[in-house]
Amino acid sequence: MFTRFTSMLHHAVEALAPNVSLQQEFMSHWKSVNQYFVDVIDHKMSVDQTPVPGHLKRMIQMLVREEAGGEAGVPGPCMEYLLKERILETLYTLARTDCPPGMKQLVLQLFIKLLSHVRQPLLPHIHVHRPVQRLVKMCGEVKASPAETDEIQFLLTLCSVVKQDPYLVNFFIEMPKPKTPDSSKSEMTNNDVIEICPRQSRFIIVDSLLSLMHSEDARVSVKACEGLMLISSLPEENAARHLLANTNFTSKLTSQLCSLYTALPKALYPADIEAVDAKWGLDIASSVDDRHSFPGKRSVISFLSWLDFCDQLIGVAHELVAKALALSIHERFLIALLEPAILQTSEVDAIMATAHLSRCLRLVSSPELITEFAFFILGHESEPEVFGVPSSHRLRQRLLERCDHISEEVCVATWKLFEMLLNKPNDHIVRNLVLRNLVSRGYTSSVSLPASAISSPTREHRPLSSPCSLPSTPLTADEPCKSEAAPSGFPLSGETESQSRVKPASFSPDPDDLVTPKDKVTDVSSADGEFVSSDALRSRSSGSGTSPPVFPEQLKRTESNKVELSYSNGGGEGDRVLEKSLKQEDEKDARFIGRYELLDIRQVVSIFLNILPKDAISSHHSADSGYDSYLRDAQHQFAVMSAWHRKFNWPQKPVSKQNSPDWPFYEGLFLQKLLDKLSTMLQQSYEVNLQVTCVASRLALVPHANIHEFLLNPQLPIRQGCRNLPTVLQKLASDIQARVRIIPDFQNKLLGVRHKLMGYSNNSIRRSDDSSSLLAGVIVFEEFCKELAAIAFVKHHAETLQR
């Protein structure tokens, strides 16, 4: 009430008094403030009940109006008077004593308005940055003080000013004063150097922000984290070095992460951890969260939110700060806390720790932190693996051993972790798990083409002896690869080539019906059990001895936006197509399209779609019987994966490093476990099969030529004693063909299991029922082959568009 009366009286005096200059009015307000503190001795009432706030606010308004009407960058008379009379230092003294009560908050608000509204640089003035420095030191001294909100707002204002002009950060780095030489010593020469101990320096604004970071008020804590993010993102290397050397920045942030992790309850379900959605700064409970609540959910959200803050800070911070904080998290959190929890013998605790690591890995996105997670899980190894020699990185070896653990929960949790690893754009992850073993291309076999296929003169310039050259007709079981056999005593990672190339189908397609790749099979078995391709069947029916492979003429889309693949006829027209294609390849040197081998994409897609026997196919009873439903997802996922890995500059052609002739090929422990689990899909549970096929499809999306041909090239000649994904699928399809004849009423039981999996039936699949588990594996195998066909087509189409 008194303030309002004073304001009304002031306006009345202004209306009756003669016009005075802006400087005189500014001086009058400051003199009124000084006169109040001279007249009033006992300051018991709040500052809001005194005329002081009105005078100070009017002074700030005059400074802003003076700057707006004056020349840019030149201080006016009011600003000169403010600096000359050291008004800001006087205000700091009043704020320090907080007399009258509330004076500290008032001074902080005035400094905020002054720094945010006055555009001319003020901090370089000694009578400005000196009181500002003292105010910064004062912030965060008292825990849960009434002025916490104003303190953090003041610090954020300073951070914004420093962010605009990064060199101003040096005003908040306090260097120790040089020691004064003794009077007995002579004067110092120019060559004398005063050494300053870096530990005595202080980064005062960071110290205050770290103090307020632990405030009980969540809004103050979040704003303090925002200030730390602004300061750490400054491009000044000097500021980054002082931040790391003279503050507890990395240790406090990592300690907070470790404290939140140790506070997590022990009894949690991996599914609950996976379902929690947490983002830093958005810790707001909703009704949806309440319906999916579980004991300890708030602790999980707090932990993940803080990890998200650390990840975001690392993503925007200076390079030195980002690496230091990521390394601190690696050493103090991952190695000190997570590694012992994962390696313990208790299955329940190991599953929980693995689930925590998977959820953390899913959350992080900064390159530095992803790299530290990769080093923590996989180690730094880059040399090719040797069969029987365990990895020197204990955690990697233990996790890969758990991929075929007797406990399904342990197995699923471990494969989920590797799925999250493959979802991260990091070259070391792909190289450590897969590429370092595939770069030798020791799995391929050099095969010569028949004489009838090389009659054209243009074949003289073709690299027929390359390991990836294709024969004119597919290899049969009686025609092993003409390559050096595996050394004796070498333990085979799978079946031999003659055993793995037997096709399971027993029915013959109509060549005229080969319009879409999902209708008929392309490879069949003859009566005597010999493997015969569809091209060979056409050549036999036409009376010719050997027919060249069919090449694609065009790719077109129908009005329903579904992909159709048009085929050319065999026989003489096929010879002309082959001769024309080889001539174009010789002229353009187009042995490869981008990273992927020049193959007939129709044959590749058809092989994947028709590898399963007809009697074991159940999707034709549903609307999405083809692989079209997987195309859109594959296209989106491959686009994201390609954008991630484009910066790695992977080679456009498969890498082939020459090893010694006696060096056996070993696909590595990760691929060995993956192919082993795929080959035993009929003996595994539905959950394990889903997770393993998910990892395999994710790996198939990686845009690397060696990985592509190892996983998605069913026409690749494989060296004896080696295996790849298509050979494993062929052997599994043969096993399914045998089961079809054994299990009575196989087709109806298969449809019943599919209906249960799709939710059409309320009956669940019992794990004790071997028949239901086997049929579920057949369904997962069918859908997995369709997904691989979609991935192969999408990758071929993407590379074709880039030509």
Side-chain angles (χ1 to χ4, degrees):
M1 188 68 182
F2 180 75
T3 304
R4 292 182 180 179
F5 177 75
T6 304
S7 179
M8 292 173 58
L9 182 62
H10 174 73
H11 288 297
V13 171
E14 284 185 344
L16 298 176
N19 294 332
V20 294
S21 63
L22 193 63
Q23 180 184 8
Q24 291 176 345
E25 186 178 358
F26 185 85
M27 296 170 58
S28 175
H29 283 290
W30 179 242
K31 290 179 180 179
S32 300
V33 172
N34 286 332
Q35 190 63 36
Y36 170 80
F37 286 99
V38 171
D39 296 340
V40 180
I41 300 177
D42 189 9
H43 302 284
K44 292 184 179 180
M45 57 182 180
S46 174
V47 70
D48 294 332
Q49 299 176 356
T50 66
V52 175
H55 290 298
L56 294 178
K57 291 179 181 178
R58 287 286 296 171
M59 292 172 63
I60 298 297
Q61 293 174 0
M62 292 178 186
L63 290 173
V64 175
R65 186 171 57 181
E66 179 186 66
E67 185 186 39
E71 185 177 355
V74 179
C78 296
M79 181 60 69
E80 291 181 350
Y81 181 80
L82 176 78
L83 300 175
K84 180 180 179 181
E85 295 297 325
R86 302 182 180 181
I87 294 178
L88 297 181
E89 296 185 11
T90 304
L91 291 177
Y92 160 73
T93 304
L94 296 174
R96 186 66 181 175
T97 59
D98 197 21
C99 184
M103 192 64 189
K104 178 181 178 180
Q105 296 170 267
L106 176 62
V107 172
L108 288 171
Q109 294 171 4
L110 292 176
F111 272 77
I112 293 172
K113 293 180 181 179
L114 181 65
L115 294 172
S116 58
H117 291 82
V118 178
R119 298 183 179 179
Q120 57 181 301
L122 295 178
L123 283 178
H125 296 281
I126 187 172
H127 297 309
V128 175
H129 70 253
R130 183 180 295 171
V132 167
Q133 288 174 348
R134 294 172 179 174
L135 276 177
V136 169
K137 295 178 183 179
M138 189 174 59
C139 295
E141 285 183 343
V142 181
K143 300 296 183 182
S145 69
E148 262 191 351
T149 303
D150 299 298
E151 289 176 357
I152 192 59
Q153 193 63 39
F154 168 67
L155 294 176
L156 277 181
T157 303
L158 284 177
C159 292
S160 300
V161 173
V162 171
K163 184 66 176 179
Q164 295 176 2
D165 297 312
Y167 74 94
L168 296 176
V169 72
N170 296 300
F171 290 112
F172 303 100
I173 301 175
E174 282 192 349
M175 304 298 293
K177 296 181 179 180
K179 297 181 180 180
T180 304
D182 297 336
S183 57
S184 59
K185 295 183 179 180
S186 60
E187 294 183 359
M188 299 177 63
T189 63
N190 295 332
N191 296 329
D192 292 334
V193 178
I194 301 176
E195 296 184 358
I196 299 176
C197 180
R199 295 182 180 179
Q200 297 178 356
S201 303
R202 290 187 60 192
F203 206 155
I204 57 176
I205 191 171
V206 175
D207 293 337
S208 298
L209 288 171
L210 290 174
S211 178
L212 291 173
M213 183 184 70
H214 300 286
S215 173
E216 296 296 332
D217 191 341
R219 294 170 297 180
V220 174
S221 178
V222 169
K223 289 183 178 180
C225 293
E226 292 177 356
L228 291 173
M229 192 175 294
L230 288 173
I231 294 299
S232 62
S233 63
L234 295 176
E236 292 287 325
E237 183 177 347
N238 181 52
R241 295 188 180 277
H242 278 280
L243 177 66
L244 298 175
N246 303 318
T247 67
N248 297 325
F249 176 77
T250 57
S251 60
K252 283 197 173 183
L253 265 60
T254 309
S255 298
Q256 179 73 2
L257 182 67
C258 297
S259 300
L260 292 173
Y261 176 76
T262 54
L264 294 177
K266 302 299 181 182
L268 289 175
Y269 292 99
D272 293 335
I273 300 174
E274 188 69 21
V276 171
D277 188 15
K279 289 291 182 182
W280 171 74
L282 299 176
D283 190 10
I284 301 175
S286 62
S287 58
V288 178
D289 296 331
D290 294 338
R291 289 197 298 268
H292 298 85
S293 62
F294 56 88
K297 182 176 182 179
R298 300 305 302 173
S299 299
V300 176
I301 292 177
S302 299
F303 166 71
L304 294 177
S305 299
W306 189 257
L307 178 62
D308 185 55
F309 162 68
C310 295
D311 178 66
Q312 292 187 32
L313 188 145
I314 292 174
V316 301
H318 189 276
E319 182 181 1
L320 297 177
V321 179
K323 290 182 178 180
L325 181 56
L327 184 60
S328 177
I329 293 176
H330 183 177
E331 295 175 349
R332 302 183 58 183
F333 171 61
L334 295 178
I335 294 180
L337 294 180
L338 267 182
E339 185 175 12
I342 295 175
L343 295 178
Q344 59 184 320
T345 57
S346 173
E347 290 186 3
V348 177
D349 296 337
I351 292 172
M352 187 60 54
T354 306
H356 287 153
L357 180 58
S358 300
R359 188 63 183 88
C360 293
L361 189 60
R362 171 186 160 191
L363 181 67
V364 299
S365 59
S366 59
E368 292 82 2
L369 196 53
I370 291 176
T371 301
E372 294 301 329
F373 268 85
F375 288 155
F376 166 69
I377 299 173
L378 304 176
H380 296 77
E381 297 175 348
S382 59
E383 296 298 324
E385 297 178 72
V386 180
F387 184 84
V389 178
S391 173
S392 59
H393 193 70
R394 183 176 58 169
L395 182 59
R396 181 185 189 273
Q397 184 70 22
R398 183 68 61 84
L399 289 173
L400 288 174
E401 290 173 355
R402 290 178 179 175
C403 286
D404 56 356
H405 198 274
I406 189 173
S407 172
E408 291 186 357
E409 290 78 7
V410 175
C411 182
V412 171
T414 306
W415 281 113
K416 281 185 178 180
L417 176 60
F418 284 107
E419 178 191 358
M420 293 302 167
L421 270 177
L422 293 174
N423 278 336
K424 296 302 173 181
N426 187 273
D427 179 66
H428 178 71
I429 294 175
V430 181
R431 194 167 300 279
N432 183 279
L433 288 176
V434 181
L435 282 183
R436 60 171 170 161
N437 307 301
L438 297 184
V439 290
S440 64
R441 298 191 74 208
Y443 49 86
T444 60
S445 174
S446 300
V447 182
S448 301
L449 294 177
S452 60
I454 59 174
S455 58
S456 175
T458 59
R459 305 291 277 184
E460 296 177 0
H461 304 286
R462 298 246 321 155
L464 296 177
S465 60
S466 63
C468 55
S469 299
L470 299 178
S472 60
T473 57
L475 292 176
T476 64
D478 298 331
E479 295 176 3
C481 295
K482 297 179 181 180
S483 63
E484 184 179 349
S488 59
F490 171 62
L492 300 182
S493 58
E495 301 292 336
T496 61
E497 184 182 9
S498 60
Q499 295 173 336
S500 62
R501 283 187 169 271
V502 178
K503 288 287 184 174
S506 60
F507 56 93
S508 176
D510 185 359
D512 297 333
D513 294 337
L514 291 175
V515 178
T516 58
K518 62 183 179 181
D519 295 329
K520 300 291 181 179
V521 297
T522 57
D523 301 322
V524 297
S525 299
S526 61
D528 56 356
E530 180 184 2
F531 173 74
V532 184
S533 67
S534 57
D535 295 332
L537 285 177
R538 285 196 291 269
S539 64
R540 291 179 183 180
S541 62
S542 61
S544 60
T546 304
S547 175
V550 181
F551 284 80
E553 286 185 352
Q554 57 182 351
L555 297 177
K556 61 182 181 179
R557 289 186 177 271
T558 62
E559 295 179 357
S560 61
N561 200 29
K562 292 185 177 180
V563 178
E564 275 192 6
L565 304 175
S566 301
Y567 284 73
S568 61
N569 297 325
E573 184 178 354
D575 294 333
R576 293 191 297 270
V577 173
L578 174 62
E579 182 179 357
K580 181 179 179 180
S581 177
L582 294 178
K583 182 177 180 181
Q584 293 175 352
E585 294 175 28
D586 181 67
E587 293 175 353
K588 298 182 179 180
D589 193 22
R591 178 58 186 163
F592 294 87
I593 297 180
R595 294 184 175 88
Y596 313 126
E597 191 175 351
L598 184 59
L599 300 172
D600 190 341
I601 188 59
R602 298 168 306 170
Q603 295 180 4
V604 173
V605 171
S606 184
I607 289 174
F608 280 120
L609 292 180
N610 300 293
I611 192 173
L612 194 64
K614 184 178 180 180
D615 296 338
I617 297 177
S618 59
S619 60
H620 58 272
H621 292 276
S622 58
D624 56 343
S625 58
Y627 79 118
D628 301 352
S629 58
Y630 291 96
L631 282 174
R632 180 174 299 178
D633 292 339
Q635 184 177 9
H636 171 71
Q637 294 173 3
F638 181 69
V640 175
M641 191 76 74
S642 299
W644 284 351
H645 296 84
R646 190 174 295 118
K647 61 183 178 181
F648 301 144
N649 296 322
W650 281 340
Q652 297 295 318
K653 299 179 181 180
V655 178
S656 181
K657 293 184 178 180
Q658 298 296 332
N659 293 326
S660 58
D662 296 333
W663 184 267
F665 171 74
Y666 177 51
E667 65 266 31
L669 188 56
F670 175 74
L671 281 177
Q672 178 187 348
K673 296 292 184 181
L674 182 62
L675 296 179
D676 287 345
K677 298 299 288 185
L678 291 173
S679 63
T680 57
M681 288 179 63
L682 302 182
Q683 292 82 39
Q684 297 168 171
S685 66
Y686 177 69
E687 293 77 10
V688 174
N689 287 334
L690 278 183
Q691 190 58 53
V692 172
T693 54
C694 184
V695 173
S697 61
R698 177 61 59 178
L699 184 61
L701 285 167
V702 176
H704 194 282
N706 292 65
I707 297 177
H708 176 85
E709 71 170 2
F710 188 81
L711 299 180
L712 297 176
N713 187 356
Q715 299 174 338
L716 184 72
I718 299 298
R719 186 177 180 180
Q720 184 179 3
C722 300
R723 61 177 177 173
N724 63 349
L725 180 58
T727 59
V728 171
L729 297 181
Q730 290 170 8
K731 183 178 182 300
L732 187 59
S734 300
D735 193 9
I736 294 175
Q737 175 68 21
R739 302 295 181 96
V740 170
R741 301 191 183 100
I742 297 175
I743 299 177
D745 199 14
F746 183 87
Q747 188 70 24
N748 291 332
K749 291 182 178 180
L750 187 65
L751 291 177
V753 173
R754 175 175 279 273
H755 290 163
K756 292 178 183 179
L757 295 177
M758 298 179 66
Y760 298 154
S761 176
N762 295 328
N763 297 329
S764 59
I765 299 177
R766 293 173 297 178
R767 296 189 178 183
S768 59
D769 191 350
D770 296 337
S771 177
S772 298
S773 178
L774 183 146
L775 295 175
V778 173
I779 295 172
V780 174
F781 176 78
E782 179 185 355
E783 298 301 318
F784 177 55
C785 291
K786 292 194 292 186
E787 187 176 8
L788 292 178
I791 294 173
F793 179 82
V794 166
K795 295 175 78 172
H796 180 276
H797 182 64
E799 290 293 339
T800 305
L801 294 178
Q802 294 178 4
R803 285 190 300 170

